[in-house]
Amino acid sequence: MQDQQHVQRQIQSEPRKSLLGQVIFSSRWLQLPIYLGLIVVQGVYAWKFLAQLWELLEGLNHLTETDIMLAVLGLIDVVMIANLLVMVTVGGYETFVSRLRIDSHPDQPEWLDHVNASVLKVKLSMAIISISSIHLLQTFINASRIDEHTIKWQLFLHLAFLLSAAAIAYTDKLLAGTTAHHQRD
């Protein structure tokens, strides 16, 4: 009799567990407005790029080579940040919300086939280092107009980004090795 009551209680509790699991799993859709907002931010960066490009073209006759180089680096910076936004939007949505189901699309990014949270972290850290490198290059080109304290802080922050990326990549490598070791056992 006790066994029968235990089984009956277990059957009754299953729908609650299932409902709770469904609610928790469905909560991932709360990220959708965030990813849609990032698409709006991409539009802002597209507008910023066009505005900076127009400014460069308008002033082309009286800009120095250094000014042109700084303007081009500014444009590259905008492009890299837009690329970062695409990685976060597409990769994050694919990893944390839902599959995009674009496998047969000819423009599907190659990296999307094997994206997961670890790959996304490494790609994002590399993108941040690239963006920081562009800023640092702008600073060095324009060093005569920037105080030494600011230059030192930018260099320090860039080195911190490099160390963080190396630590993330190393940790990721360790975790991948541990996972592969456990799968063999």
Side-chain angles (χ1 to χ4, degrees):
M1 187 70 161
Q2 276 186 336
D3 285 341
Q4 194 177 21
Q5 288 175 341
H6 177 73
V7 169
Q8 205 169 24
R9 270 188 253 129
Q10 227 177 358
I11 292 170
Q12 288 173 346
S13 68
E14 283 301 317
R16 283 189 211 124
K17 286 182 187 175
S18 179
L19 179 62
L20 178 60
Q22 286 178 337
V23 168
I24 291 170
F25 185 65
S26 295
S27 71
R28 72 193 192 283
W29 287 100
L30 292 173
Q31 292 187 23
L32 181 61
I34 295 167
Y35 291 116
L36 293 175
L38 288 178
I39 293 169
V40 171
V41 173
Q42 286 179 48
V44 169
Y45 268 93
W47 179 263
K48 181 162 179 63
F49 180 90
L50 292 173
Q52 285 181 351
L53 179 61
W54 182 256
E55 228 176 84
L56 173 64
L57 294 174
E58 273 187 333
L60 203 52
N61 289 331
H62 57 59
L63 291 174
T64 67
E65 187 177 341
T66 301
D67 291 335
I68 292 171
M69 195 179 324
L70 288 169
V72 169
L73 287 173
L75 291 172
I76 292 170
D77 185 44
V78 171
V79 169
M80 293 178 86
I81 291 172
N83 290 341
L84 178 64
L85 284 167
V86 169
M87 274 194 291
V88 171
T89 304
V90 173
Y93 183 87
E94 175 86 11
T95 302
F96 301 111
V97 179
S98 183
R99 297 280 175 220
L100 291 171
R101 293 170 181 52
I102 58 168
D103 294 333
S104 60
H105 197 283
D107 293 333
Q108 178 186 350
E110 165 267 312
W111 56 268
L112 197 54
D113 285 341
H114 50 272
V115 72
N116 59 37
S118 295
V119 170
L120 202 53
K121 280 188 296 191
V122 172
K123 284 195 171 298
L124 292 176
S125 63
M126 295 309 294
I128 290 169
I129 289 169
S130 299
I131 292 166
S132 175
S133 296
I134 294 296
H135 279 265
L136 207 51
L137 184 56
Q138 284 176 312
T139 297
F140 288 149
I141 290 171
N142 206 19
S144 63
R145 298 181 200 162
I146 300 173
D147 68 286
E148 189 178 322
H149 182 74
T150 302
I151 294 172
K152 285 180 183 177
W153 269 107
Q154 285 185 353
L155 186 57
F156 174 74
L157 287 173
H158 183 72
L159 292 173
F161 290 146
L162 287 171
L163 288 173
S164 296
I168 288 170
Y170 181 71
T171 304
D172 204 43
K173 182 181 177 182
L174 287 177
L175 290 174
T178 304
T179 304
H181 178 71
H182 285 303
Q183 288 176 348
R184 279 184 262 143
D185 293 341

